[in-house]
Amino acid sequence: MNLFITGATGFIGGSLAVDLKARGHAIRGLVRDEAKGRKLSALGIEPVLGDLDDAALLTAEARRAEGVINAASSDHVTAIDALLEGVKGSGKPLLHTSGSSVIGDDAKGDVLSPHIFDEDTPFIVEPDKQARYAIDNRVRAAQGARGIVLCNTMIYGTGKGLSRDSVQIPPLVAQARKSGVVRIVGKGINRWSNVHIDDVTMLYALALERAPAGAFYFVENGEASYAEIGEAIAARLGLGPVRSWTVAEASREWGEGHARYSFGSNSRVRGKRARRELGWAPRHDSVTRWIREEMPLD
């Protein structure tokens, strides 16, 4: 297929672009500057100069492509509307990247939530995440197209494109390297489901080929607490005991949104539908083992 991917220079989008190209697809990727565009070209990905605010460009690219993947912002309404307009009535797949913080709570690291969601479970969505949930539903209701939402959990592993690092574990590692102490929010008993980037890209490829219109998939293969993740980072870096931060303290390092929802919340889900419907069979099942044995040290 001829595919158009937003976020092609990012961790998820770049990995998708490289893997999907290896599967025989032709990729055009949205990029904001010419320097990164040249780097994309070196990977065999055709750069499209622009950004998520350029609605006319996004609509035109979606019309031109045989399939579209939004791997940039999960929350950019203008971009989503432009892509939806471009695939309207075409029957084309539009894959939208969401995130499982949509069902994240406000545990501050000190509460283990009993709630574990799958695709058939009524979601509990915090007020701050209602807008993202509304975008997910908008994509699923795409008119005359295959609108599909992939709701990623904590992604780990090494990116294959221009961006090597994901958005949750690397900031913990960077802070630990800078201070010499691994910090977590609260007691770190809050748990997140997780998935390896190689299993993520496998599922996107399957969804392009087989997913029905309106599908929603949690992308998950295991879970861990932040206390367990922190201990694995400390072991990998040869540091001492993990220490606690309040949300306020963590916010000064990572910002309140990340401190509260990326590091302090529970986000526990099970990706049942992709296994059942698409035959997805993820191969990596332990984020802590990856940290202890494979996480890059440079």
Side-chain angles (χ1 to χ4, degrees), residues 71-93:
S73 172
S74 300
D75 306 303
H76 200 295
V77 177
T78 300
I80 292 302
D81 283 347
L83 295 174
L84 285 168
E85 180 62 28
V87 300
K88 184 177 180 180
S90 68
K92 298 174 184 177

Side-chain angles (χ1 to χ4, degrees), residues 191-273:
R191 297 179 72 85
W192 265 70
S193 297
N194 52 66
V195 64
H196 192 282
I197 185 61
D198 290 351
D199 292 323
V200 172
T201 61
M202 182 199 310
L203 179 51
Y204 275 72
L206 291 170
L208 271 174
E209 297 170 6
R210 308 177 194 173
F216 179 99
Y217 301 106
F218 280 125
V219 190
E220 165 276 332
N221 195 41
E223 72 169 28
S225 72
Y226 267 101
E228 293 166 340
I229 290 169
E231 289 168 3
I233 292 171
R236 181 67 165 162
L237 300 183
L239 299 177
V242 177
R243 298 182 187 174
S244 176
W245 260 350
T246 65
V247 169
E249 290 169 327
S251 295
R252 289 194 284 271
E253 176 72 22
W254 298 307
E256 184 178 358
H258 283 299
R260 191 175 295 276
Y261 289 112
S262 294
F263 303 123
S265 66
N266 291 277
S267 182
R268 308 181 68 192
V269 303
R270 299 292 181 266
K272 295 182 178 180
R273 184 174 181 181

